[in-house]
């Protein structure tokens, strides 16, 4: 059943819409699968998303980025003989030729072609899959290397500015709007003890040691679609946060989500362990995909980036728990607290494994 006729009628979908339904496991946007059938009985699928305006304050700027980046990727993919309709996202225009539709409530909607015979994963199923995702994200950065960064709107200001995340966390603790701070004092202390570490990359940037590049900024495994038949990565999705950033954070965020023995919201922490074997194969893949494009300083910081992104994400989950779960979508009580504890367990594991992580990076950087 088409539950969104007032929205779907504004897009140039081929055929008649026969059904719409919620889809996927993203924490941010509202994602729907749209199915259409044409007169000849041919079925087509599309993804329709309501952009989360609480998270993305400038949805029109975001869609400007989206159109520019997908066009750039399309050209680069075609130039190397690839299938652009499958290897990057393709926007479906509205009936009046625009890249997005604004409804009567001021909500922003966009549609893309559905990448058929593909799937995304919330957990690494085979080590080879994680290796390939490293190649894919490394290569994605390489594809964006010639993209003019000044054209990009900053879709979330200070997105991976970790000291600023610490500031927001501290404000949430002080405000304690839900009266939850006293029940999470251990978790609050865990973040506070690492305030100095959280400045590492911003200090390095200020000292001219880290370059600003065009990066994805949300490189978790479920933001890659894999081919259902071959298992190979097909397309990198979730392009909302593409903006200037540090290349190493794309590495670190993938490790955060993927190099673990459990899901991101597993509550039994005895099951949540950092998997150094997965760290190693992702490192190998990412450096191959980046194809010599990283500086020595960037490579040297890769292990710390894994800790930084995991700590930052944990602090963001904890902040959202303190603020009453207004940012990340939750599906149970204390969901964001569970996620925060899970991330902090990984941070502790990674801190212990840091010397070994450095040795691994050195091995593949040669
Ligand atoms: P969020 O920002 O909320 O994470 P995503 O853009 O990542 O939203 O989409 C959520 C999920 O929907 C993805 O993890 C993926 O499974 C699925 N998805 C999104 N776009 C497509 C597409 N074009 N083709 C197939 N699946 C898609
Ligand atoms: C969000 O949009 P999604 O679900 O792919 C978040 C990331 C977090 C991630 C944690 C725009 O990613 O920054 O790392 O959840 N995206 C945004 O799972 O905040
Ligand atoms: Mg996503």
């Amino acid at each position: 059943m088409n539950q969104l006729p007032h929205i779907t009628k504004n897009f140039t979908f081929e055929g008649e819409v026969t059904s719409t339904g919620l889809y996927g496991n993203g924490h941010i946007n509202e994602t729907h699968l749209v199915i259409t059938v044409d007169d000849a009985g041919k079925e087509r699928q599309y993804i329709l998303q309501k952009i989360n305006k609480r998270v993305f304050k400038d949805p029109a700027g975001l869609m400007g980025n989206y159109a520019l980046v997908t066009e750039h990727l399309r050209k680069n993919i075609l130039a190397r003989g690839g299938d652009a309709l499958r290897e990057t996202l393709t926007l479906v225009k509205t009936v009046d030729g625009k890249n997005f539709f604004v409804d009567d409530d001021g909500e922003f909607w966009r549609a893309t072609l559905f990448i058929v015979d593909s799937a995304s994963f919330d957990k690494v199923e085979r080590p080879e899959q994680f290796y390939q995702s490293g190649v894919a994200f490394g290569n994605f950065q390489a594809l964006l290397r010639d993209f003019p960064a000044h054209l990009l709107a900053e879709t979330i200001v200070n997105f991976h500015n970790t000291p600023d995340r610490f500031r927001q966390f501290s404000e949430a603790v002080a405000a304690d709007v839900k009266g939850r701070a006293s029940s999470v004092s251990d978790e609050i202390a865990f973040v506070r003890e690492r305030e100095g570490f959280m400045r590492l990359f911003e200090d390095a940037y200020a000292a001219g040691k880290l370059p600003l590049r065009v990066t994805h900024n949300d490189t978790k495994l479920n933001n890659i679609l894999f081919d259902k038949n071959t298992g190979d990565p097909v397309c990198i999705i979730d392009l909302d946060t593409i903006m200037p950033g540090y290349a190493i954070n794309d590495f670190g965020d993938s490790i955060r989500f993927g190099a673990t023995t459990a899901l991101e919201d597993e509550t039994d922490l005895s099951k949540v362990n950092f998997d150094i074997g997965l760290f190693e194969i992702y490192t190998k893949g990412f450096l191959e995909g980046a194809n010599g494009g990283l500086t020595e300083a960037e490579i040297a910081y890769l292990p710390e980036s894994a800790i930084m992104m995991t700590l930052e994400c944990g602090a963001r989950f904890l902040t959202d728990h303190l603020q009453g779960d207004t940012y990340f979508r939750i599906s149970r009580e204390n969901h964001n607290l569970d996620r925060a504890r899970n991330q902090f367990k990984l941070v502790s594991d990674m801190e212990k494994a840091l010397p070994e992580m450095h040795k691994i990076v050195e091995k593949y950087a040669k």
Side-chain angles (χ1 to χ4, degrees):
M1 190 188 149
N2 182 2
Q3 285 157 330
L4 298 166
H6 53 299
I7 307 298
T8 55
K9 72 173 191 210
N10 297 286
F11 285 90
T12 55
F13 297 130
E14 283 189 60
E16 282 297 308
V17 177
T18 53
S19 76
T20 56
L22 283 171
Y23 190 79
N25 287 336
H27 295 339
I28 303 295
N29 292 313
E30 189 182 292
T31 302
H32 302 261
L33 176 66
V34 175
I35 302 179
T36 68
V37 176
D38 68 14
D39 290 343
K42 183 172 161 57
E43 209 177 83
R44 292 184 178 81
Q45 291 168 296
Y46 300 91
I47 286 284
L48 176 66
Q49 290 181 310
K50 182 163 90 178
I51 300 170
N52 185 328
K53 276 203 305 180
R54 202 185 303 207
V55 168
F56 299 109
K57 312 282 186 215
D58 175 16
L62 181 155
M63 287 309 298
N65 286 1
Y66 205 99
L68 287 170
V69 166
T70 49
E71 180 56 20
H72 180 90
L73 292 169
R74 194 181 71 84
K75 281 194 191 135
N76 277 353
I77 291 165
L78 289 175
R80 63 174 194 201
D83 174 358
L85 290 178
R86 199 163 163 72
E87 294 171 34
T88 188
L89 295 173
T90 305
L91 282 166
V92 178
K93 295 272 186 202
T94 63
V95 289
D96 46 9
K98 300 220 170 66
N99 288 325
F100 57 90
F101 168 70
V102 186
D103 70 16
D104 291 343
D105 299 325
E107 298 293 349
F108 283 64
W109 296 82
R110 66 156 173 252
T112 54
L113 299 183
F114 184 84
I115 312 286
V116 291
D117 294 327
S118 74
S120 66
F121 298 90
D122 291 321
K123 200 170 169 322
V124 173
E125 297 204 321
R126 299 166 287 112
E128 169 70 11
Q129 180 187 55
F130 200 44
Y131 162 74
Q132 286 185 321
S133 76
V135 178
F137 277 124
N139 179 54
F140 187 79
Q141 284 193 350
L143 281 174
L144 289 174
R145 213 158 279 147
D146 57 342
F147 186 90
H150 68 273
L151 297 179
L152 289 177
E154 209 176 346
T155 55
I156 300 179
V157 177
N158 286 328
F159 188 56
H160 283 316
N161 180 334
T162 314
D164 195 65
R165 293 292 183 182
F166 183 83
R167 182 191 59 77
Q168 293 177 35
F169 154 79
S170 299
E171 283 178 13
V173 175
D176 195 18
V177 289
K178 292 282 158 181
R180 292 175 173 172
S182 61
S183 61
V184 294
S185 51
D186 288 353
E187 289 77 10
I188 291 172
F190 187 93
V191 178
R192 283 186 172 150
E193 281 157 20
R194 289 159 179 80
E195 183 187 357
F197 172 78
M198 286 171 131
R199 286 196 292 271
L200 186 63
F201 296 165
E202 291 307 312
D203 288 351
Y205 173 67
K209 289 187 198 147
L210 272 182
L212 212 49
R213 302 180 184 276
V214 176
T215 49
H216 183 281
N217 294 305
D218 191 1
T219 51
K220 55 186 192 180
L221 185 71
N222 67 16
N223 286 332
I224 302 191
L225 299 176
F226 291 86
D227 190 297
K228 269 188 186 157
N229 300 314
T230 64
D232 292 342
V234 180
C235 181
I236 292 193
I237 60 166
D238 208 340
L239 308 175
D240 298 327
T241 50
I242 292 185
M243 55 187 155
Y246 306 137
I248 52 178
N249 286 341
D250 277 0
F251 173 89
D253 201 35
S254 290
I255 298 300
R256 173 191 79 73
F257 191 83
T260 162
T261 51
L263 290 173
E264 185 183 58
D265 59 357
E266 172 62 57
T267 52
D268 179 352
L269 296 185
S270 70
K271 291 189 186 146
V272 183
N273 298 298
F274 173 56
D275 185 329
I276 193 127
L278 288 176
F279 173 84
E280 175 156 0
I281 54 169
Y282 190 91
T283 302
K284 180 172 187 289
F286 189 81
L287 288 172
E288 281 175 23
N291 198 17
L294 299 178
T295 65
E296 260 178 48
E298 286 175 307
I299 293 172
Y301 276 134
L302 290 177
E304 281 79 7
S305 77
I307 302 180
M308 192 70 78
M309 286 298 97
T310 312
L311 179 60
E312 180 191 280
C313 194
R316 291 172 63 199
F317 287 143
L318 185 58
T319 303
D320 201 27
H321 175 71
L322 291 165
Q323 290 179 330
D325 308 299
T326 59
Y327 188 95
F328 296 103
R329 183 169 300 135
I330 56 164
S331 48
R332 60 176 190 247
E333 211 183 322
N334 291 335
H335 205 162
N336 278 313
L337 177 59
D338 293 341
R339 290 171 175 148
R341 287 182 171 146
N342 176 305
Q343 300 296 291
F344 296 155
K345 167 64 171 59
L346 290 175
V347 168
S348 300
D349 285 3
M350 288 178 195
E351 286 172 345
K352 288 181 203 117
L354 193 58
E356 207 180 329
M357 289 158 80
H358 274 285
K359 280 194 198 126
I360 290 169
V361 168
E362 278 160 30
K363 176 169 150 197
Y364 292 101
K366 281 186 192 134

